[in-house]
Amino acid sequence: MAGLTACGSDNNSSSSSSGGSSSTSSAAGGSTGSSSSSGSSSANIACANGTLTAQGSTAQQAALNKFVKDYQTKCGNSTNVSYNGTGSGPGVTAFTNKQADFAGSDFPLAASQQPAADQRCGSGSKALSVGTIPGVIAVMYNIPNVSKLNLSASTLAKIFNSKITKWNDAAIAQENPGVNLPDLTIQTFHRSDGSGTSYNFSNYLNKTAASDFPAAANKQWPGSGGQGQQGSKGVAQAVQSTSGGIGYAEVSYATSNHLNTANIGNAAGKFVPLTIPNAANFLNKAKVDTTGGNYLFNFDYTYSADDAYPAVLVTYEIVCSTGNESSKLPELKGFLGYLASDGAQSQLPNLGYVSLSSDQESAVAAIYSGLS
Amino acid sequence: MSGIAPTATRPAPRGGGGSAQSLTSGPRRGDLVFSGVVRAAAIFLLLLMATIAGFLVFRATTALNANHANVATYTGQWAPDDTPAKFGIGSLAWGTLVTSVIAIVIAAPVAIGVALFISQYAPRRLAQVLGYIIDLLAAVPSIIYGLWGILFLVPHMQGASQVVGDVLGWIPIFNTNGPLGRSVFTAGVILSIMILPIIAAISREIFLQTPREQVEAAYALGATRWEMIKLAVLPYGRRGVGSAIVLGFGRALGETVAVAMVLSTTYNFVTKWLQSGGNTIAANIALQFGSAFKIGQGALIASGLVLFVVTFLVNLLARRITGRADIPKDERWSLLSVFRPGRRTAAHMESSYDANAADVPDREGTLQARDQAPEVAADDTAGRARPHRAAHGAVGDTMLVSPSLPRRIRSTFAGGMTVGTFVLALLPLISILWLVVNNGRHAMSPSFLTHSLRNIDDSQFGGGVYHAIIGTLEQSGLATLIAVPIGILVAVYLVEYGRGALATAVTFFVDVMMGLPSIVAGLFILSMWILGLGQHANGFAGALALTILMLPVVIRSSEEMLKLVPDSLREASYALGVPKWKTITKIVIPTALPGIVTGVMLGVARVMGETAPILLVVGYIQNINVNPFSGDEGQATLPTVIYNTYTSPEHASNDRTWAAAFLLIVIIMVLNIIARLIAWWKKPGRA
C-alpha cells in the first residue's frame, strides 16, 4: 500500500484530529464522541479485510462517513469501505445491477422493484430493506426577533400550501400568545429534488392534518406554492438568507446554519419541541413490519404524548439475505453489524440523527448477523 | 463553411490536393492512408452518436409508453415512478429555451467586446495574460457557480429584479407579484457568465487571425481603429463568432448543476421571468436523478432526447443566420457601417490593393476616402497608435487621410466600450474567486495536498485531496488522450476532405452532441459499457464518459481554427509538390495549433469540473487509488469530493469543499498555461 500511494498518504492518524469544533449541535458531543467512542465501541467491531462498495441516500451519508471511519480505523489499512451519496434511486439501481454491495435508501424497496432486486441476489435469496439510521426533520424559520414558535400541523399545512401568507396571521398568533409576530410575508422553501425528507414531512402533515393537507405523501414535495431548493443544504441556506423564510430539513442543517426550529403540533394539538429524545420517543412507538425478513417502520401519527416529536424519518439499507459473495460476506456482515451496534447507534444523536431503541437495535443486528 | 476564408472562389473542401496529385504518377499512398484514417474517425464518431441516440430512444420510449399524462402540456408534479406515471417535458423545454436565450443575449455582446478588447485594443504583451484571466471563468466548476449563485447572486438579484419589475412591469414577462430572485432571469445571468469564456476565447482566436493585409488595407484607407475593426475584423470573424455563440448556446442548454441550485423549481410554462420559479431540462435531470428509479430514469432520458432536438433546431437556425454571411451583398453588418448610410461613394477600391480584399465589405457606401487635408502619417492619430498594425506601406497621397473628430470620438468610444465589457466580465470572476479563496483558505495546507480523506469524518478537520487530484488528472488525462486525436482527425476530415452526406451527418451530430447533458453521457457509459459489456466501474469508465463530453468541444473549435488557415499556405505547399497529408500534418495543423490548444483546454476545463457522470460510473472513495483500471475499486476526483463534502451540514467538511474548488481552479489554470506555452513553442515561425 505504501508503495502504491507514492508521495501521497492515506495515513491520517497523525494529522490533527481536532474534530467537532464545528458549530453544530453535535459540537460538544461530537468531538469527544468521535475520538473516544470509536475506541470504546471497537469491541463490537468484527473486522474483515477487503473492499466494500455502497451508494445511495444522501440523508444517511454523514452517519455512514463516520461509521466507515470507525470501522477502517479499527480494522486497518487492508479494510476499505466506501459509501457514495448518489441518491436513493441510483443506489437501488446500482445494487440491482450488482455495482454496490449494499445500498442506502430513504425508502424500503417498492413492490415493483423487489423482483429485480431479488433476482440480483440469486435464486432463493431476497433483497432486504432494513431500517437502520433514523433521523428527525426540523421546521426551520427566520423571523427577526422571534426565537420560539409553535406551529400546529394544520397551520403548517396552510403555510406550506400558501393559504397563510403573513407571519402575523391570526392562526399563527393564536398559537403563539405573547410572541410579537411581525407583518412579514412568509416565504416557504421545500426540496426541489425528490427526497425522503419531503416524503416523511408531507406524510406527517397529511396524516395529522388531512383536511388542510389533502395531498398524499410524496417524495416530490406535494404542497402548492413556495420555492424549491436543491437538497437540505439549499433549503437551510435559503431560509437563513431570507427574512420571513420557513423550510424543513434534517436537524443537523438547522443547527449548522444557526436556525431556530419550531415546536410542531401532534395529533392532539400539543406543541412538541425538537429534541433528539423527543424524536426517539415517537420512533419507539412506530409499528415495525418484519414480514419477509425486512425491518420496515410504520409511524403512528396518532401517538400524541407531550414528548413525542412526530416529524421523523428512517433510512434503510438494502442488502441480500443470502447469496452474497463469499469474499465480501465477512466485511459486509462486519460493517452492517457495526451500524446496528450500540457503539454506532449511540453516536447517532451527536451526528444529528436518532438512535434505534434497544429492542429495534438488537432486531436489526440479528438480521445483519444472519446474512449469508 | 467557406465564408471565413479570404478568397471567395475556394471550393467547400479545401482543394489543391487533386492538382498536386496531377503532377505525380497518381494518388500517393500516404494520402490514401491519411484520408482513410480521418474518414474512419468521422465514421467512428457517427457510429458512437448513432449508438447513443439509439440507446436514448430505446430508454425513452419505455418511459413515454408508461406515461399517463400529455408529455408536451402536462404541468403537474414530476412523478414518473408513481402509478400511474405522470410527467411533462414541454414546460421544461420552454424553461430551457428561456434561460438560454437570456444567457446568450447577455453573453454574446459582452464576449465579443471582450474578444475585441483583448485582440485589438489591449497592449500586445498584456493581451495573452488578459485572455487567460477570462479563461479562468471557464475553469470554475459548475457547482461553484451554483454556490456563488445562491450565496451572492440571488440576494442581489432580488433587489435588481424589483427595480426591473418596477420599471418594465408593464411588459408581461417582467411583471412581478411574488417572490423574486430564484428566477429564470437569475439562471440566465449565471449561464451567461458560464458561457462567456467559450465565446470570448474562440472569438479572440478568430479575431487574431484576421489577415494582416486586410487590417493594413483598412488603415491605408484612413480608417480609425474602430472602423478597421468593422471593415476587416468583424466581417472576417463573423462566421467563427457565430459558431462560438452556438457553442456557448449549446453549453447553456445543457448546463445542469448551477441552474438546479439557483432556480426554484416549478413545472409550469414560465411567463414571469423575474419571479421565482421555472425549470430546465438539464436542471431537472440533476434534481430528479437522485430519486429516479427505472421509469424515472427513462423519463429523464426522454427529456434529454428533447434537449437533443432543441439543440439541433437552435443549431439549424444559427447556421441559417451565419450561412447568409456568404453572400457578398449581405447587409447584416450595414448597421455597423463605418460611415453613415446615404453617403455617396467616392471610389470603388476593392481589389485595387490586394486580391484578398474581397472579404472587406466593398459595398457601396461603406468606403469613402474623405476629402480632407492629408496629414503626415497614417498612424499618428489616437485611434491607430500601434505602428505595426498601421499601414506603413500605403503611401499613396490620396489614401493618407486623417479621420474627422466625430469619427475619432466614435472610435475612442468604441474602444472604451470594449474595455467596459472586459471589466464587466471581470466582476463575477473576482467575486467568485474571492468567495472560493476566502472560504478555501481554512482547509488549505500542505497536508491537504499530500493526504487523502481516509478515516476523516465530516465533523473533523484535516485530511486532504491527494487521492482526488490523482483521480482528476488520470481521468481527464485519459479522456484527453482519447478525445483529442479523434477530435482533431474528425475536424481535419470536415475541413479538408468532408463533402457529401457523411460530412453533413458528422457536422449535424457534433452540433447535437454539444447539447448532451453530462449526466446522459454518464448514463450511456453506465448502461452500455458497465452493464452491457460487463466492464468495471473504475476511473477508465469515468474517462470514457468525459471523452463523450469533450469530443464535440474539441471538434468544433479545431474545425473553426483549421478553417482559418489561409489557403495560400496550402497552395504554396502543394505547389512545392508536398502531398496533401503532409501539407495537413506539417503546415495546416501546426499553423492552427494555438487555436486548437485553446479549444482542447476549454474541453479539458469543461470535463475536469464534471460531477454528475463521474458519480454514476466511478465509485467515490476516500482513500488513494492510483490505478484507473483497477476492478470496481472506484476513484475520487476533485468534483466528486466537492459534491460529497458540500452536501454535509458540517463546517469542517464544507471547508474542504471550498479548498478543493480552489485547487481545481488552480490545476485547470496551470494546465492551461502549460498547454499554451507548448503551443507557442511549437508554433511555426515563432522566431
Side-chain angles (χ1 to χ4, degrees), chain A:
Chain A
M1 202 65 195
L4 267 179
T5 54
C7 54
S9 171
D10 268 340
N11 181 10
N12 281 308
S13 56
S14 58
S15 72
S16 59
S17 54
S18 58
S21 57
S22 73
S23 56
T24 72
S25 66
S26 61
S31 55
T32 51
S34 60
S35 49
S36 67
S37 66
S38 56
S40 66
S41 63
S42 58
N44 307 338
I45 295 181
C47 278
N49 290 345
T51 301
L52 213 53
T53 341
Q55 58 168 290
S57 161
T58 51
Q60 55 175 276
Q61 187 167 23
L64 260 70
N65 283 353
K66 176 68 175 70
F67 299 149
V68 163
K69 175 201 166 181
D70 290 350
Y71 193 73
Q72 290 183 155
T73 310
K74 171 75 186 353
C75 299
N77 279 342
S78 304
T79 302
N80 285 306
V81 181
S82 66
Y83 183 80
N84 198 358
T86 50
S88 303
V92 169
T93 308
F95 173 78
T96 308
N97 292 330
K98 284 199 164 186
Q99 266 183 284
D101 300 312
F102 71 91
S105 175
D106 292 348
F107 310 95
L109 285 174
S112 57
Q113 296 157 351
Q114 193 73 51
D118 288 347
Q119 197 183 3
R120 172 251 196 254
C121 294
S123 62
S125 181
K126 228 183 138 312
L128 306 179
S129 308
V130 186
T132 309
I133 314 278
V136 55
I137 302 168
V139 175
M140 320 165 287
Y141 62 89
N142 176 355
I143 316 172
N145 304 318
V146 174
S147 57
K148 182 176 180 293
L149 190 67
N150 295 330
L151 293 171
S152 67
S154 156
T155 305
L156 274 173
K158 286 176 187 157
I159 288 174
F160 277 98
N161 271 333
S162 312
K163 298 268 169 53
I164 295 177
T165 57
K166 289 278 187 184
W167 278 114
N168 60 355
D169 189 280
I172 303 176
Q174 194 200 340
E175 290 167 1
N176 294 279
V179 177
N180 188 17
L181 291 162
D183 178 19
L184 187 64
T185 305
I186 299 177
Q187 293 203 36
T188 68
F189 294 97
H190 54 260
R191 292 280 291 269
S192 56
D193 47 341
S195 85
T197 319
S198 288
Y199 178 90
N200 284 289
F201 188 60
S202 58
N203 201 24
Y204 152 71
L205 292 177
N206 174 248
K207 294 278 166 58
T208 320
S211 56
D212 291 309
F213 203 91
N218 200 311
K219 63 186 177 186
Q220 309 290 342
W221 177 245
S224 63
Q227 303 180 63
Q229 288 290 299
Q230 187 187 21
S232 291
K233 182 102 185 185
V235 172
Q237 272 172 347
V239 173
Q240 192 198 26
S241 62
T242 309
S243 184
I246 183 170
Y248 60 89
E250 293 89 332
V251 65
S252 48
Y253 292 94
T255 41
S256 66
N257 282 284
H258 312 291
L259 286 165
N260 292 316
T261 57
N263 307 331
I264 65 170
N266 61 21
K270 288 172 190 146
F271 299 107
V272 187
L274 191 168
T275 64
I276 304 291
N278 284 354
N281 289 340
F282 186 81
L283 197 75
N284 285 348
K285 293 293 173 184
K287 295 186 179 73
V288 175
D289 177 359
T290 55
T291 49
N294 294 320
Y295 201 79
L296 314 178
F297 285 78
N298 292 310
F299 301 129
D300 179 9
Y301 287 104
T302 61
Y303 180 65
S304 29
D306 287 355
D307 59 353
Y309 184 88
V312 295
L313 59 88
V314 171
T315 61
Y316 292 80
E317 314 304 330
I318 315 285
V319 64
C320 290
S321 61
T322 60
N324 289 295
E325 271 178 69
S326 57
S327 61
K328 298 210 169 185
L329 184 65
E331 198 182 2
L332 187 68
K333 286 173 74 170
F335 181 70
L336 289 177
Y338 175 59
L339 294 189
S341 73
D342 234 19
Q345 291 283 332
S346 64
Q347 293 185 61
L348 281 174
N350 287 333
L351 296 165
Y353 296 83
V354 184
S355 314
L356 296 170
S357 72
S358 53
D359 290 352
Q360 292 164 346
E361 202 179 289
S362 44
V364 170
I367 294 175
Y368 289 144
S369 71
L371 300 180
S372 61

Side-chain angles (χ1 to χ4, degrees), chain B residues 386-672:
Chain B
R386 215 181 295 164
H388 64 269
R389 284 199 184 267
H392 287 302
V395 287
D397 275 352
T398 52
M399 296 296 181
L400 290 177
V401 291
S402 173
S404 66
L405 186 64
R407 284 172 57 208
R408 271 181 292 172
I409 290 175
R410 230 175 291 151
S411 180
T412 311
F413 177 74
M417 287 297 284
T418 65
V419 177
T421 57
F422 182 77
V423 173
L424 193 64
L426 275 189
L427 292 179
L429 179 67
I430 293 168
S431 170
I432 291 170
L433 287 184
W434 187 85
L435 191 72
V436 170
V437 172
N438 192 41
N439 287 302
R441 67 194 155 85
H442 302 299
M444 191 56 86
S445 69
S447 81
F448 190 73
L449 304 178
T450 56
H451 284 73
S452 71
L453 278 176
R454 183 183 160 88
N455 291 351
I456 299 288
D457 69 53
D458 287 15
S459 64
Q460 192 178 1
F461 290 92
V465 292
Y466 177 81
H467 61 312
I469 299 173
I470 299 287
T472 299
L473 292 180
E474 285 184 351
Q475 288 177 27
S476 44
L478 280 171
T480 311
L481 278 183
I482 305 169
V484 168
I486 297 177
I488 292 179
L489 285 177
V490 172
V492 165
Y493 171 78
L494 288 176
V495 175
E496 308 287 341
Y497 294 90
R499 69 181 91 204
L502 180 60
T504 316
V506 170
T507 310
F508 164 79
F509 274 120
V510 171
D511 283 352
V512 173
M513 239 174 145
M514 284 300 301
L516 187 77
S518 57
I519 208 161
V520 174
L523 262 182
F524 171 73
I525 294 297
L526 175 66
S527 304
M528 300 295 290
W529 178 254
I530 297 175
L531 302 179
L533 298 174
Q535 300 297 313
H536 293 298
N538 52 21
F540 183 64
L544 288 180
L546 297 184
T547 302
I548 293 178
L549 296 170
M550 204 169 161
L551 266 174
V553 183
V554 173
I555 295 173
R556 280 304 294 270
S557 51
S558 305
E559 194 188 344
E560 291 306 326
M561 295 309 148
L562 289 174
K563 277 189 221 151
L564 289 175
V565 177
D567 271 0
S568 50
L569 281 182
R570 293 182 179 85
E571 281 153 12
S573 177
Y574 296 145
L576 293 170
V578 180
K580 184 167 182 174
W581 71 276
K582 256 192 175 162
T583 303
I584 292 170
T585 52
K586 300 279 181 193
I587 310 285
V588 178
I589 293 180
T591 309
L593 196 62
I596 292 177
V597 169
T598 300
V600 169
M601 290 320 298
L602 285 170
V604 171
R606 171 170 179 191
V607 300
M608 266 198 170
E610 275 301 342
T611 318
I614 301 299
L615 280 176
L616 280 183
V617 299
V618 193
Y620 170 73
I621 57 173
Q622 298 195 315
N623 51 296
I624 299 167
N625 175 16
V626 292
N627 181 7
F629 299 97
S630 70
D632 279 320
E633 215 179 302
Q635 201 177 37
T637 63
L638 284 169
T640 52
V641 166
I642 292 172
Y643 177 85
N644 274 286
T645 55
Y646 160 71
T647 46
S648 167
E650 298 288 343
H651 292 291
S653 197
N654 296 161
D655 283 350
R656 288 191 279 268
T657 306
W658 295 103
F662 180 44
L663 199 60
L664 182 57
I665 294 174
V666 168
I667 288 177
I668 294 176
M669 213 48 214
V670 167
L671 287 178
N672 243 307

Side-chain angles (χ1 to χ4, degrees), chain B residues 112-278:
Chain B
I112 293 171
V114 167
L116 284 177
F117 169 71
I118 291 173
S119 65
Q120 307 297 325
Y121 286 93
R124 260 286 154 95
R125 291 166 193 281
L126 267 181
Q128 294 253 304
V129 177
L130 296 177
Y132 297 160
I133 291 175
I134 293 299
D135 286 352
L136 259 178
L137 277 172
V140 178
S142 174
I143 192 167
I144 296 303
Y145 275 108
L147 287 173
W148 176 76
I150 291 179
L151 298 174
F152 178 84
L153 191 62
V154 166
H156 287 81
M157 286 302 286
Q158 282 164 339
S161 303
Q162 190 62 59
V163 172
V164 175
D166 288 347
V167 177
L168 297 173
W170 50 275
I171 304 173
I173 52 170
F174 295 126
N175 199 340
T176 60
N177 60 358
L180 306 170
R182 294 172 181 85
S183 59
V184 288
F185 186 62
T186 305
V189 170
I190 287 212
L191 287 176
S192 72
I193 301 166
M194 299 178 76
I195 63 177
L196 188 137
I198 295 178
I199 305 175
I202 296 176
S203 304
R204 180 185 77 215
E205 294 295 334
I206 289 165
F207 290 155
L208 282 173
Q209 304 281 339
T210 312
R212 179 71 59 84
E213 315 89 78
Q214 295 186 21
V215 175
E216 289 177 356
Y219 281 136
L221 291 167
T224 63
R225 188 183 296 178
W226 175 238
E227 287 161 0
M228 180 281 291
I229 288 171
K230 282 191 291 182
L231 283 171
V233 177
L234 289 179
Y236 178 78
R238 63 190 142 179
R239 283 299 300 266
V241 172
S243 284
I245 291 175
V246 172
L247 279 176
F249 200 89
R251 165 120 199 235
L253 287 171
E255 183 48 53
T256 48
V257 179
V259 177
M261 285 170 82
V262 297
L263 199 54
S264 168
T265 314
T266 55
Y267 288 90
N268 58 330
F269 286 83
V270 183
T271 50
K272 296 182 176 177
W273 293 6
L274 295 175
Q275 233 167 274
S276 293

